[in-house]
Amino acid sequence: MAMAPVIKLVLGSIAFAIFWILAVFPSVPFLPIGRTAGSLFGAMLMVIFQVITPEQAYAAIDLPILGLLFGTMVVSIYLERADMFKYLGTLLSWKSKGPKDLLCRVCLVSAVSSALFTNDTSCVVLTEFVLKIARQKNLPPHPFLLALATSANIGSSATPIGNPQNLVIAVQSKIPFWEFLLGVFPAMIVGITVNAMLLLGMYWRLLSDHKEDEEEVQDADAELVVEEDVTSHRFSPATFSPVTSEDSNLRMDAVETLRNRAGSAGENELISCNSNASREQQTDAESQGESNNTNNMFQTKRWRRVLWKSSVYLITLGMLISLLMGLNMSWTAITAALALVVLDFKDARPSLEKVSYSLLIFFCGMFITVDGFNKTGIPTALWDLMEPYAKIDQAKGTAVLAVVILVLSNVASNVPTVLLLGARVAASAMGREEEKKAWLLLAWVSTVAGNLTLLGSAANLIVCEQARRAVSHGYTLTFTKHLKFGLPSTLIVTAIGLFLIK
């Protein structure tokens, strides 16, 4: 592609630079409008500067990707309502055999849930559970937060629905869900295992030092639970008072008086007692009936809840099977989402309001901005310089390509990197199999690259923000702590994928 005229080249570069700054640093002092508004601003500048026409801007928006993203978000919302992630959180601490076992569980649960429900969703709902368990067991939170974030990124690489960049790659490459899974899954399994081993090796002593403290805290927690249980069953002062000696004397006098009057009023008392007894029996019967009705209503609601949750799980399973069968991914996700809406049989507004529409708008602006930048000819010119050294049919070329993707993913973010490099990397491949391998390598490296720094992926930022905002057990995961582990983990895990992805 030839370079655009100088004026378009300069203006297009300015628009893209503004988009990049606001996407990577959404709170810059001179324009703190955030990522979503930043992407729209970049798109608007591309049209105003006449780098692209309005018609080209509309055509740049990839509706299949937006549909797939929307559908998976709605399905995740209903799965959260059906307590799926609550069960995953419970699984973390169920019969845990110590901090090291817990760390491995966090890695496994985070990876699997991210592959099926996207890494961002898993991090949103699991961060609170991980922090709570670490607090209960008196463990340092940062190894477990690192395990959650890094494993979510690695695990999400295995499927097209695991993260946004994989959605883009799956739609543009037209690689079926099943082939995508088979191509990346071995690297994901080995990568998760190595990542867990690196975490254990780096924090072995720290986790071991907290073993005794953990046992003491568990005993204290048990005592606290017992105390709370007893407290919750205490009688209220309004319904129960202690009996004093004065009260006892008064009651004895009342009994004696009743005995003295018993002879003269015995017959009337007998009639009155019989009448009261019949009234009490009638009242008891009515109370028993109301109690039975309440229990029946409770049981009915409980079984309806169980049936609804089971149906949500079945529909989600059906969606995954359909994706594995190679059906259209966007419409499969949208169909599953609408099936859950109809099954709920109530106003869907509360659930649909939880959809991240700001992310969908961000994607729209990003599609337009990146398409405008592509039309300047700069990405093509840069790729023409790199292409001779980035051939995937050679080990050296694969390594060079991986470094380029790794750097760009952390500089320009992973989704723009995929949009900029995807078609070019695939076009440089020789044959269908090499083209498929190029797409899968792009998916693997751009996803794992998110583990390099705290700013490398949205999942990292979600874990950091969720942990910081936790009310009773907040924790700040610093940039340095993440980089200390993220750098070696990213380099090693990325290299593993380069050998295993075929």
Side-chain angles (χ1 to χ4, degrees), residues 62 64 160 166-180 326-329 426 432 435-436 439-440:
D62 201 323
N166 278 15
L167 296 178
V168 174
I169 290 171
V171 172
Q172 291 189 350
S173 68
K174 295 181 173 56
I175 298 176
F177 190 99
W178 179 250
E179 291 184 16
F180 195 108
L327 298 182
N328 183 280
M329 286 188 283
R432 173 59 184 169
E435 180 182 343
K436 174 184 165 185
W439 282 111
L440 295 181

Side-chain angles (χ1 to χ4, degrees), residues 252-264:
M252 290 300 294
D253 292 341
V255 171
E256 187 65 27
T257 303
L258 288 174
R259 285 177 180 172
N260 293 335
R261 294 177 181 175
S264 59

Side-chain angles (χ1 to χ4, degrees), residues 318-332:
M319 181 190 78
L320 295 175
I321 293 174
S322 300
L323 292 173
L324 289 172
M325 291 173 62
L327 298 182
N328 183 280
M329 286 188 283
S330 298
W331 283 107
T332 297

Side-chain angles (χ1 to χ4, degrees), residues 121-430:
T121 301
S122 298
C123 290
V124 166
V125 296
L126 290 178
T127 301
E128 191 79 12
F129 288 109
V130 170
L131 272 177
K132 193 176 294 183
I133 294 171
R135 181 183 66 84
Q136 289 175 348
K137 296 180 178 295
N138 194 31
L139 295 169
H142 67 274
F144 301 96
L145 294 177
L146 286 171
L148 175 62
T150 56
S151 299
N153 287 327
I154 297 172
S156 70
S157 66
T159 63
I161 60 174
N163 56 61
Q165 62 268 22
N166 278 15
L167 296 178
V168 174
I169 290 171
V171 172
Q172 291 189 350
S173 68
K174 295 181 173 56
I175 298 176
F177 190 99
W178 179 250
E179 291 184 16
F180 195 108
L181 178 63
L182 285 180
V184 183
F185 187 76
M188 187 271 280
I189 290 294
V190 178
I192 286 294
T193 304
V194 171
N195 190 64
M197 291 173 63
L198 290 172
L199 280 165
L200 288 173
M202 185 170 290
Y203 297 107
W204 185 275
R205 182 176 297 178
L206 183 62
L207 297 176
S208 300
D209 290 343
H210 283 74
K211 187 174 182 181
E212 295 180 1
D213 294 340
E214 177 192 346
E215 294 174 356
E216 293 175 3
V217 170
Q218 284 179 337
D219 293 340
D221 287 343
E223 292 176 3
L224 181 61
V225 171
V226 172
E227 179 66 22
E228 289 176 350
D229 191 49
V230 171
T231 304
S232 65
H233 289 84
R234 286 175 181 165
F235 290 97
S236 170
T239 58
F240 179 80
S241 321
V243 179
T244 63
S245 60
E246 185 177 352
D247 294 334
S248 179
N249 292 333
L250 289 173
R251 291 179 185 180
M252 290 300 294
D253 292 341
V255 171
E256 187 65 27
T257 303
L258 288 174
R259 285 177 180 172
N260 293 335
R261 294 177 181 175
S264 59
E267 188 174 339
N268 292 334
E269 283 291 331
L270 183 60
I271 295 172
S272 177
C273 287
N274 290 335
S275 177
N276 290 337
S278 62
R279 288 175 185 170
E280 289 177 0
Q281 289 176 358
Q282 183 178 0
T283 302
D284 291 342
E286 292 176 355
S287 300
Q288 185 68 28
E290 292 177 358
S291 177
N292 290 336
N293 289 336
T294 303
N295 288 335
N296 290 336
M297 290 176 61
F298 176 76
Q299 290 293 335
T300 302
K301 288 183 178 179
R302 180 174 176 271
W303 281 110
R304 283 179 180 174
R305 173 73 176 166
V306 171
L307 180 61
W308 179 80
K309 288 165 65 173
S310 302
S311 301
V312 171
Y313 300 152
L314 287 174
I315 289 174
T316 305
L317 181 63
M319 181 190 78
L320 295 175
I321 293 174
S322 300
L323 292 173
L324 289 172
M325 291 173 62
L327 298 182
N328 183 280
M329 286 188 283
S330 298
W331 283 107
T332 297
I334 292 173
T335 302
L338 292 178
L340 292 173
V341 169
V342 173
L343 176 69
D344 200 26
F345 207 67
K346 62 177 68 170
D347 188 0
R349 187 187 307 168
S351 295
L352 294 180
E353 284 177 349
K354 296 180 180 180
V355 172
S356 180
Y357 295 103
S358 61
L359 179 63
L360 298 176
I361 296 172
F362 172 81
F363 265 74
C364 291
M366 181 178 60
F367 286 141
I368 297 171
T369 306
V370 172
D371 187 63
F373 188 57
N374 279 331
K375 283 182 166 49
T376 64
I378 294 176
T380 301
L382 293 176
W383 177 249
D384 288 342
L385 293 175
M386 290 296 305
E387 185 178 8
Y389 309 100
K391 297 289 186 181
I392 64 170
D393 57 348
Q394 302 173 1
K396 182 181 178 180
T398 303
V400 171
L401 178 62
V403 170
V404 172
I405 298 171
L406 195 66
V407 172
L408 273 180
S409 295
N410 280 274
V411 172
S413 189
N414 40 30
V415 179
T417 296
V418 167
L419 290 173
L420 288 170
L421 290 182
R424 295 176 177 85
V425 172
S428 65
M430 304 293 291

